[in-house]
Amino acid sequence: MDTRRLRPEVEKGRSAELLRRLRGLSLVFCLSALYSCRRRGETSFSQDRSVHCCSQVEAVSFILLLITFFFSLVFVFFWGQAKNDYNDFDWFNFGHMGFWFSWSLLLLAIAVGLFIYMSMLVLLAVCLLVERQKLFLHWSHKVGLLVTLLFSVVATAVLSALWSQEWTTLLLSFQITAPFLHVSGVLLMTSLAWPVALYFFCLRTPARRAAILSVYLTLLSALYLLPLAFHSPCLRDRATLPPPPALFGHRGAPMLAPENTMMSFQKAVETGSDGLETDVTISWDGVPFLMHDQTLRRTTNVQQVFPDRTNSEAADFTWEELQNLDAGSWFLNDDPFGSVGSLGSSERVEVANQSVCSLLDFLQLAARTGQLVIFDLYRPPKGHPYRDSWIHQILEVIQIQSSIPSAQVLWLPSHLRPLVQQMDPDLQQTTGSLLSPEQIQENNIVRLNLHYRHMSASLVSNYSALNVSTNLYVVSEPWIYSLAWCSGVHSVTTNAPHLLHTLKRPLFLMTGHADIQRSYSDVLESSSAPFGMDAVSMATETNQIKNQDGVLRF
């Protein structure tokens, strides 16, 4: 055999192998430089495949990095699921700081940024460990790590102290997000299998090998057993799905117009609301008007018109004084929901011309449009001329001044309820408390008005058996509305009637095999439906060819 012919091929193979190694070295140098923040000449690189990952100090840094990553992930998920209540968070801060700012979105942006930063460091560390390289976390990254850990822990602790109920929202969200979190967790653990295996075989100490293997297998086993704990009212066939909850516009449609103004309520009616919710205060001269806050500072220009009375209670103003206030321009300036950009020029002019709305005008609008109404009623402060006759003032507007039928009014105030029933038995008695069956019957209660965190399919079912419907407030996120829909809730109070009205089915509805078959058939039919056939017509024809078992036959 002529070795001279083989030599070029051998040299070519060696060159290719050398090139592959150089490319691998460049990648490792890049990863190490990003993790250690060192220049190429300063970057430590080892070709010893049995080398230990790092010193004890760096091992502690890596463990702290994993802990920080976990806490930042928890906080991002926690605050992300609290989006439904961002407006309440900003309103709380306004009450303490005196100016409006979207602190909730700022907090979310910081949390997401720090989480991405920690994720990149963890990814770099894992890649270096796969290449059996020593870890040298740069001091600047260590400072960032400590800052992120401190931010995540302190923010979680403060929010838990002030809004501990948000953890209930987080638990509710698991009824929707658990399957997706589970799949993500399984994919993550599967992707880590190869790096863990490589690191396992490069370890020389049996104890460390046992520790790595036991931790990985424990987490993997927990993930595979987790679905046994899944429970969600949205795990059902569409055939058993209750009707969608009716929508009550919370102070109207506050994402589209200034809250508690005529424009806001008109927007709510136009976007498909079935009812209207508001807050009622009584002026110094006895005129019931709409105002949520105790003062006029947030939603009017009282500081410009009455600079000496900026912090005075709203009930201390006469109706004539209230009519001199601008109740709309604040919406354009503060943009509380980040929705002002969607308004046209004519709508902006209309917003700027809004004034404080009276209860009478509100009820007349509801009477004309057939809307149900529900309102919180604030008792005037001590020394107010109508402090003891406030209930009578409201009933006078409903029964005498307005044309709304009493049956359209959901009477929520519990004060003097027996007297109210005696004076107007047609009012729909509504309570904000969880009452016993005896109390329900005694007070002639026909509807519950509860915070959405009380949501429970069994609770709704139990009260429905007593002929009591359930309304939840304030539900603005589609996932919470979907959960309420699956739970059989009858109505919700919302800041976003224009968004929820467009939902044709609950999000994340987890159906059975037969229902999936029906859904697939509906898609096939809709794709070949003739022009001009709407969704209702197609659904009607689809139902006509179903058998009694509810399954489409091809």
Side-chain angles (χ1 to χ4, degrees):
M1 181 179 294
D2 189 357
T3 58
R4 288 176 298 179
R5 295 181 179 179
L6 294 176
R7 188 176 300 170
E9 296 180 1
V10 172
E11 290 180 353
K12 184 178 180 181
R14 289 177 178 176
S15 299
E17 178 66 21
L18 180 60
L19 183 59
R20 284 194 297 269
R21 290 185 179 182
L22 288 176
R23 288 175 178 174
L25 291 176
S26 299
L27 176 61
V28 172
F29 276 129
C30 181
L31 295 174
S32 183
L34 291 173
Y35 190 80
S36 304
C37 295
R38 296 179 178 181
R39 295 188 297 272
R40 185 181 183 89
E42 300 174 343
T43 303
S44 174
F45 173 73
S46 173
Q47 299 185 58
D48 183 3
R49 294 301 185 183
S50 63
V51 72
H52 192 268
C53 75
C54 49
S55 64
Q56 290 185 354
V57 174
E58 293 302 325
V60 171
S61 298
F62 179 65
I63 294 174
L64 191 60
L65 173 61
L66 295 179
I67 294 174
T68 304
F69 170 78
F70 172 76
F71 274 105
S72 62
L73 173 62
V74 169
F75 182 73
V76 165
F77 188 74
F78 166 76
W79 195 238
Q81 296 305 310
K83 184 181 178 182
N84 187 83
D85 303 320
Y86 281 0
N87 188 255
D88 292 339
F89 178 78
D90 294 334
W91 176 77
F92 174 84
N93 288 315
F94 173 86
H96 288 78
M97 299 180 181
F99 64 94
W100 187 271
F101 185 77
S102 296
W103 296 104
S104 55
L105 294 179
L106 177 62
L107 187 60
L108 180 64
I110 294 174
V112 170
L114 293 177
F115 170 70
I116 294 175
Y117 175 45
M118 289 298 104
S119 301
M120 293 302 297
L121 288 181
V122 170
L123 181 60
L124 289 172
V126 170
C127 291
L128 288 172
L129 289 176
V130 169
E131 292 295 329
R132 284 80 161 186
Q133 298 304 306
K134 285 190 174 184
L135 300 181
F136 294 99
L137 186 62
H138 193 262
W139 67 266
S140 60
H141 288 322
K142 292 177 181 177
V143 172
L145 186 153
L146 293 175
V147 169
T148 304
L149 180 61
L150 183 64
F151 170 84
S152 301
V153 172
V154 171
T156 302
V158 171
L159 291 174
S160 296
L162 296 177
W163 290 279
S164 58
Q165 61 271 22
E166 290 298 339
W167 289 107
T168 305
T169 302
L170 184 65
L171 294 177
L172 279 177
S173 72
F174 286 144
Q175 298 183 33
I176 294 293
T177 60
F180 305 97
L181 294 175
H182 177 253
V183 171
S184 301
V186 170
L187 292 176
L188 176 62
M189 293 301 294
T190 303
S191 63
L192 289 176
W194 184 248
V196 169
L198 289 176
Y199 188 64
F200 173 84
F201 286 111
C202 81
L203 291 175
R204 297 178 178 178
T205 309
R208 289 176 177 170
R209 283 189 172 189
I212 291 293
L213 189 61
S214 61
V215 170
Y216 181 80
L217 292 180
T218 299
L219 292 176
L220 194 61
S221 301
L223 276 174
Y224 280 110
L225 293 175
L226 196 59
L228 297 177
F230 284 359
H231 170 72
S232 173
C234 287
L235 184 60
R236 63 194 306 162
D237 288 343
R238 291 182 64 180
T240 65
L241 191 67
L247 301 176
F248 280 77
H250 184 232
R251 309 172 201 168
M255 291 185 178
L256 304 178
E259 65 181 57
N260 281 333
T261 62
M262 287 299 293
M263 180 182 179
S264 183
F265 295 118
Q266 288 168 351
K267 287 286 186 181
V269 173
E270 293 170 3
T271 54
S273 291
D274 304 286
L276 303 172
E277 186 274 349
T278 188
D279 314 275
V280 180
T281 303
I282 298 179
S283 70
W284 186 261
D285 50 350
V287 178
F289 67 98
L290 312 186
M291 184 61 56
H292 172 265
D293 295 6
Q294 189 175 5
T295 71
L296 304 170
R297 184 177 56 173
R298 181 174 65 91
T299 58
T300 71
N301 64 337
V302 65
Q303 190 169 4
Q304 286 74 40
V305 181
F306 302 103
D308 297 333
R309 304 172 64 185
T310 299
N311 295 317
S312 298
E313 294 200 24
D316 290 339
F317 290 79
T318 65
W319 178 241
E320 183 179 356
E321 292 172 333
L322 292 170
Q323 287 296 281
N324 291 327
L325 299 177
D326 175 3
S329 296
W330 70 273
F331 182 78
L332 300 175
N333 298 328
D334 295 340
D335 195 9
F337 293 95
S339 55
V340 170
S342 64
L343 300 180
S345 56
S346 59
E347 291 177 314
R348 290 171 182 263
V349 173
E350 186 179 0
V351 165
N353 290 327
Q354 294 303 301
S355 59
V356 176
C357 181
S358 68
L359 176 62
L360 176 58
D361 290 338
F362 168 74
L363 294 178
Q364 291 296 82
L365 172 63
R368 291 195 304 271
T369 57
Q371 299 277 304
L372 295 173
V373 299
I374 183 173
F375 52 81
D376 286 319
L377 178 57
Y378 301 147
R379 186 178 186 181
K382 293 182 179 180
H384 193 281
Y386 294 90
R387 177 171 174 79
D388 297 325
S389 58
W390 54 308
I391 297 293
H392 294 83
Q393 291 297 116
I394 303 300
L395 291 177
E396 180 180 345
V397 174
I398 295 174
Q399 295 176 313
I400 301 176
Q401 300 179 23
S402 74
S403 59
I404 190 171
S406 296
Q408 282 182 229
V409 179
L410 279 59
W411 185 264
L412 182 59
S414 58
H415 189 75
L416 299 177
R417 190 183 295 275
L419 176 62
V420 172
Q421 293 185 69
Q422 182 179 355
M423 296 179 64
D424 195 340
D426 292 333
L427 294 171
Q428 295 191 42
Q429 294 301 317
T430 306
T431 180
S433 304
L434 293 173
L435 303 180
S436 65
E438 294 76 16
Q439 293 173 316
I440 292 289
Q441 184 176 9
E442 179 182 351
N443 292 279
N444 297 318
I445 300 297
V446 297
R447 189 180 297 253
L448 292 178
N449 186 55
L450 304 174
H451 196 278
Y452 73 84
R453 297 189 188 96
H454 290 284
M455 188 189 313
S456 167
S458 59
L459 182 145
V460 173
S461 176
N462 291 338
Y463 278 100
S464 294
L466 300 173
N467 293 321
V468 176
S469 56
T470 303
N471 180 71
L472 299 181
Y473 66 90
V474 172
V475 175
S476 301
E477 285 296 300
W479 74 264
I480 303 181
Y481 180 74
S482 299
L483 197 58
W485 187 343
C486 295
S487 299
V489 172
H490 302 91
S491 61
V492 299
T493 302
T494 178
N495 289 324
H498 60 297
L499 297 179
L500 302 186
H501 181 70
T502 62
L503 292 181
K504 302 306 179 185
R505 55 171 289 177
L507 301 178
F508 315 112
L509 182 63
M510 294 165 277
T511 61
H513 172 74
D515 199 58
I516 292 175
Q517 187 180 17
R518 288 195 300 270
S519 300
Y520 180 68
S521 302
D522 290 342
V523 172
L524 291 178
E525 288 197 8
S526 63
S527 63
S528 59
F531 293 105
M533 179 177 289
D534 57 16
V536 175
S537 301
M538 288 188 290
T540 302
E541 290 193 6
T542 302
N543 288 331
Q544 290 175 352
I545 62 174
K546 286 181 180 177
N547 292 331
Q548 292 182 353
D549 58 358
V551 180
L552 281 173
R553 303 299 182 187
F554 293 92

